[in-house]
């Protein structure tokens, strides 16, 4: 699938963003981004490269995307990091797509609690972005009466920028108005001037870490529940299968994988049973 816009379009501060990019440089960037992040940039998306990468040209005082390619070819880790950051789409919100959270609340967590009496439950928000998904989970678990020492929530992402925000748990007015029930804002957040910070007792339930989903993820876990939502859409079929296979291996038997609304696993990977809970689809490790 094509990479969606997502990040704010930066008005051009000069004409560099609009310059055409040669086919060779376009191919180079496509392949470089794929190698470094797994993200697939379709053909004819030069507007996307321009709009995402123009701020880097500004910051690094580079004349054009061609110059940027030259820097990437030469190594330049500082520029490379910025390009990966710029190409990730970090759109997220609290309790995104209510259905999986309803499934967790009414079916999955009660089922796991009944089965794993007294044992800590382990959750993984595998493309955590700025943390809203992991904190939604933490608040939901507290709501269900679980204590912080009874759960372990791991949040990971490729982007360090969003992880820094996730760790702070500090959100603007717009962000807390998206998906977060007002009673949760009152109960689980502290007001910090114009922003809201997730209370320390909730933040303590979640640990965040930089992690490329294409790396050796088997060293993490095992988990009872993995949320890997709205990230597989950016990868090619082979990468998806590889990641889903590894996710399956990090799940405990009977554990659940939740994907984004537009993503599926069953036809791609063995070892999952498709289970429907109301409006949500979960994949249970057999
Ligand atoms: C659209 S957000 C999804 C956030 C959240 N899961 C949700 O559904 O609201 C996708 C996230 O995947 C991350 N990502 C992209 N490529 C990745 C990779 N290779 N490994 C880990 N995370 C990646 C991006 O940095 C981004 O924060």
């Amino acid at each position: 699938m094509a990479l969606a816009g997502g990040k704010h379009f930066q008005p051009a501060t000069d004409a560099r963003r609009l310059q055409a990019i040669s086919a060779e440089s376009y191919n180079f960037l496509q392949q470089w981004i794929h190698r470094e992040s797994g993200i697939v940039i379709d053909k004819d998306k030069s507007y996307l490269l321009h709009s995402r990468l123009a701020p880097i040209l500004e910051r690094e005082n580079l004349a054009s995307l061609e110059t940027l390619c030259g820097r990437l070819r030469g190594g330049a880790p500082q520029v490379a990091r910025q390009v990966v950051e710029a190409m990730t789409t970090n759109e997220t919100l609290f309790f995104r797509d209510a259905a999986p959270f309803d499934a967790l609340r009414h079916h999955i967590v009660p089922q796991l609690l009944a089965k794993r009496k007294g044992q800590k439950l382990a959750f993984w928000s595998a493309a955590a972005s700025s943390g809203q998904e992991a904190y939604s989970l933490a608040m939901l678990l507290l709501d269900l009466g679980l204590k912080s020492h009874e759960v372990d929530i791991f949040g990971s992402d490729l982007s360090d920028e969003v992880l820094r925000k996730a760790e702070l748990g500090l959100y603007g007015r717009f962000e807390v108005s998206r998906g977060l029930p007002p009673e949760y804002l009152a109960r689980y957040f502290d007001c910090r001037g114009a922003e809201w910070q997730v209370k320390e007792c909730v933040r303590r339930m979640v640990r965040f870490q930089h992690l490329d989903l294409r790396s050796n993820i088997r060293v993490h876990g095992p988990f009872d529940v993995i949320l890997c939502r709205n990230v597989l859409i950016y990868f090619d079929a082979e990468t998806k299968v590889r990641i889903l296979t590894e996710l399956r291996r990090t799940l405990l038997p009977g554990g659940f994988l939740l994907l984004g609304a537009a993503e599926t696993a069953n036809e791609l990977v063995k070892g999952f049973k498709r289970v429907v809970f109301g409006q949500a689809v979960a994949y249970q490790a057999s």
Side-chain angles (χ1 to χ4, degrees), residues 36-39 88-93 96-97 125-130 133 156-159 162 211-214 227-231 233-235 243 260:
E36 295 298 317
S37 66
I39 294 168
T88 60
T89 298
N90 314 113
E91 163 67 9
T92 188
L93 61 149
R96 182 176 191 174
D97 309 327
S125 169
S129 187
S130 36
E133 184 175 86
S156 65
D157 202 280
L158 182 68
S159 160
V162 289
L211 185 75
D212 187 335
L213 281 170
R214 299 165 309 149
L227 292 92
C228 184
R229 305 193 312 140
N230 305 303
V231 62
I233 43 169
Y234 299 112
F235 302 146
I243 293 174

Side-chain angles (χ1 to χ4, degrees), residues 208-266:
F208 290 102
Q209 188 183 310
H210 175 100
L211 185 75
D212 187 335
L213 281 170
R214 299 165 309 149
S215 66
N216 180 17
I217 58 179
R218 244 188 276 180
V219 296
H220 301 280
F223 297 101
D224 293 286
V225 177
I226 301 174
L227 292 92
C228 184
R229 305 193 312 140
N230 305 303
V231 62
L232 296 179
I233 43 169
Y234 299 112
F235 302 146
D236 57 34
E238 190 195 323
T239 309
K240 268 183 220 171
V241 172
R242 225 177 39 235
I243 293 174
L244 285 167
T245 306
E246 291 304 296
L247 291 177
R248 166 67 191 83
R249 291 191 172 129
T250 67
L251 269 177
L252 286 160
F256 293 92
L257 169 70
L258 290 163
L259 299 176
E263 298 161 324
T264 52
N266 53 332

Side-chain angles (χ1 to χ4, degrees), residues 185-202:
L185 182 64
R187 202 179 315 150
Y188 297 120
F189 286 74
D190 291 318
C191 185
R192 304 257 186 254
E195 295 179 303
W196 296 83
Q197 186 167 33
V198 179
K199 279 188 190 292
E200 216 233 316
C201 59
V202 183

